[in-house]
Amino acid sequence: MEAAGGGQHETRRRAGLALLGVVYSSLLLNAIFVAHHFLSPSRLLLRDDGCGCGLTWSLQAAREAEAVAAVECSGHGQVFVDGVAGEDGRPGCECNSCFGGPDCSLRTPNCTADADSGNPLFLEPYWRRHAAASAVVFSGWHRMSYTTTGGFQSVELERQIRRLHGAVGNAVADDKHLVFASGSLQLINALVHALSPDATAASPPSRVVAAAPYYPAYRQQTSMFDGREYRWAGTTALWANSSRANSTDGTFIEFVTSPNNPDALLREPVLRGSAAAIVDHAYYWPHFTHIPAPADEDIMMFTVSKPSGHAGSRFGWALIRDDEVAKRALEYLRDSNMGASRDTQLRMLGIFKFMLANLRGKDDIFAFGHDVMRSRWLRLSAAVSRTRRITLQKIAPQYCTYFGRVREPSPAYAWVKCEMEEDEDCYEALLKANIITRSGVQYEASSRYTRISLLKSDDDFDVLMERLEDLVDADKYDDSNGSSSM
């Protein structure tokens, strides 16, 4: 019996030792996990305020950016790192139109709606929502050289742009040269130069044309740099006659905007076969128009301001099929400013990567943008439908290959026509209603037309709708009183 009791005691002792071993092993593993969590390189610089997270040289810059982004401006403004510093040395709120005060909480009564600019601030809420994923930080020694591994162009950014076109399905890019520029404005003259005869050649200068209504910058840029190689020659209507277009006193370069600015219609060259076409696809993205098929013209222009909204970054690109035309365009950009900013290219790389990672998902920028622009178009159309004084361009719902369904119209601009006899100058008629627009005269169209931008901030659009409602209500009042204006 004594031997049996000793055996049981030894068994219990061994079981206890095993249990202690398990407990100590668990404690040791927990200690290792805790040490790894708090003493790993990503935690060594953690501060008392919870900030740090592995940052060394970028810590101060990150804190500054976070501090500025955290400032509230009543939802009607924002603070920027490079904003004007106040008495406390910190930048203050920059208020949206029609708002003021230190925190932008003061509304300007009877404010005039500014619907002139194509400033794409309608996408600002999207990037605020995705601040962390889209932020880009770089060192003071980032790309200090004039050149990169790809000369003046980031090879990786080129790859991401080609991927974006392929994924969206709006352009065939893989068989073309990619040329970067400081926005599409610089591309206008670079491409005209690339298509024109050399200044020393005996050939007459190229004639640059566009079909009205057209984006005024084509005329302005060509006239500004007017020289031996090319000159502005007016609208395509002046040269539509085949005999004139095929004359020997100079070749034609035709600008084609599709979708068109200002009326949002998809366009094709008018002088087909007798002119080299530069096709501006700035708005050929799913939040502005349906995408029936990938564009595949010889020369196509794009700008980042329209797909992502980053107009201030000043970045544009061209897709060019011909080797010699691409070479001449690159030479022009090299000689004028050595290509697009390397800092801008880095920011765009981060932006395009994020856009690509979220295509057709819950954070798809094109779905977000289309919802905003469609809603604005519906609100505008509903208001205008209540008056006979002005009308909008007609845009039908169309099937879009990107969304895989019929999509509702969501144009960047409303092309407004004043219908009343006395409103011969539509710009002035709307200005009297406290709405600033862009006259159709600038597009070489009738003064009865004017362009209203739908791209600006929510505040801008809300003020625009208030002024339009005032115009419609006044119109209804005049009509009920038998006014001759109706």
Side-chain angles (χ1 to χ4, degrees), residues 51-169:
C51 183
C53 305
L55 304 178
T56 55
W57 54 265
S58 64
L59 181 60
Q60 181 178 344
R63 280 177 167 168
E64 183 180 11
E66 288 277 359
V68 165
V71 177
E72 289 292 336
C73 297
S74 303
H76 302 297
Q78 48 279 315
V79 181
F80 299 102
V81 174
D82 62 348
V84 177
E87 294 181 359
D88 60 357
R90 299 177 180 178
C93 290
E94 296 184 17
C95 302
N96 295 340
S97 299
C98 301
F99 289 88
D103 64 348
C104 303
S105 60
L106 302 178
R107 174 72 182 271
T108 305
N110 301 317
C111 181
T112 297
D114 188 347
D116 178 12
S117 168
N119 214 357
L121 294 177
F122 77 102
L123 287 172
E124 186 180 83
Y126 176 87
W127 293 111
R128 283 186 175 275
R129 183 186 303 173
H130 301 293
S134 61
V136 178
V137 179
F138 53 89
S139 65
W141 62 91
H142 168 75
R143 295 296 185 193
M144 291 178 65
S145 171
Y146 286 117
T147 59
T148 73
T149 52
F152 298 124
Q153 298 188 175
S154 164
V155 174
E156 181 59 16
L157 180 55
E158 285 192 24
R159 190 174 74 88
Q160 296 300 328
I161 290 174
R162 295 182 193 278
R163 285 188 62 210
L164 183 64
H165 281 304
V168 172

Side-chain angles (χ1 to χ4, degrees), residues 15 35 48 72 78 81 83 113 169-170 214 251 261 284 324 418:
D48 292 337
E72 289 292 336
Q78 48 279 315
V81 174
N170 69 334
Y214 60 82
T251 59
N261 173 5
Y284 196 53
E324 187 59 31
C418 285

Side-chain angles (χ1 to χ4, degrees), residues 54 89 146 234 243-244 267 293 307 324 330 332 345 354 379 396 400:
Y146 286 117
S243 61
R244 295 193 70 190
R267 282 187 163 188
E324 187 59 31
L330 283 167
Y332 176 94
Q345 291 187 49
F354 180 80
R379 287 181 61 189
C400 179

Side-chain angles (χ1 to χ4, degrees), residues 297-451:
E297 294 90 2
D298 290 341
I299 303 175
M300 299 182 283
M301 286 172 50
F302 295 88
T303 172
V304 77
S305 63
K306 300 310 178 285
S308 77
H310 291 87
S313 293
R314 308 309 306 134
F315 182 74
W317 67 96
L319 297 173
I320 304 173
R321 195 187 311 274
D322 184 81
D323 296 347
E324 187 59 31
V325 174
K327 179 182 176 182
R328 291 200 69 191
L330 283 167
E331 288 173 348
Y332 176 94
L333 295 165
R334 178 198 65 198
D335 294 342
S336 61
N337 73 341
M338 296 191 179
S341 161
R342 257 51 88 200
D343 294 351
T344 290
Q345 291 187 49
L346 178 64
R347 186 185 191 193
M348 292 304 99
L349 178 61
I351 293 297
F352 285 141
K353 281 184 175 180
F354 180 80
M355 290 169 64
L356 273 162
N358 291 279
L359 292 184
R360 296 182 175 85
K362 63 181 181 65
D363 293 320
D364 184 348
I365 190 171
F366 298 119
F368 173 91
H370 177 252
D371 287 345
V372 173
M373 299 305 293
R374 177 190 59 184
S375 173
R376 292 184 178 187
W377 180 250
L378 289 173
R379 287 181 61 189
L380 180 72
S381 300
V384 172
S385 69
R386 294 168 50 212
T387 179
R388 288 175 292 167
R389 190 172 184 181
I390 59 175
T391 56
L392 304 176
Q393 75 267 40
K394 303 297 182 183
I395 306 176
Q398 297 281 349
Y399 182 82
C400 179
T401 56
Y402 179 78
F403 291 120
R405 58 176 171 80
V406 174
R407 64 185 289 287
E408 295 296 318
S410 56
Y413 306 105
W415 187 230
V416 178
K417 183 182 181 183
C418 285
E419 300 287 355
M420 310 313 297
E421 183 179 350
E422 61 271 25
D423 291 336
E424 186 175 350
D425 190 330
C426 199
Y427 169 85
E428 290 294 337
L430 291 186
L431 188 61
K432 290 177 182 177
N434 291 325
I435 302 172
I436 301 172
T437 60
R438 187 170 294 182
S439 173
V441 174
Q442 294 192 40
Y443 301 87
E444 286 206 51
S446 167
S447 62
R448 285 200 172 274
Y449 289 89
T450 195
R451 190 194 78 172

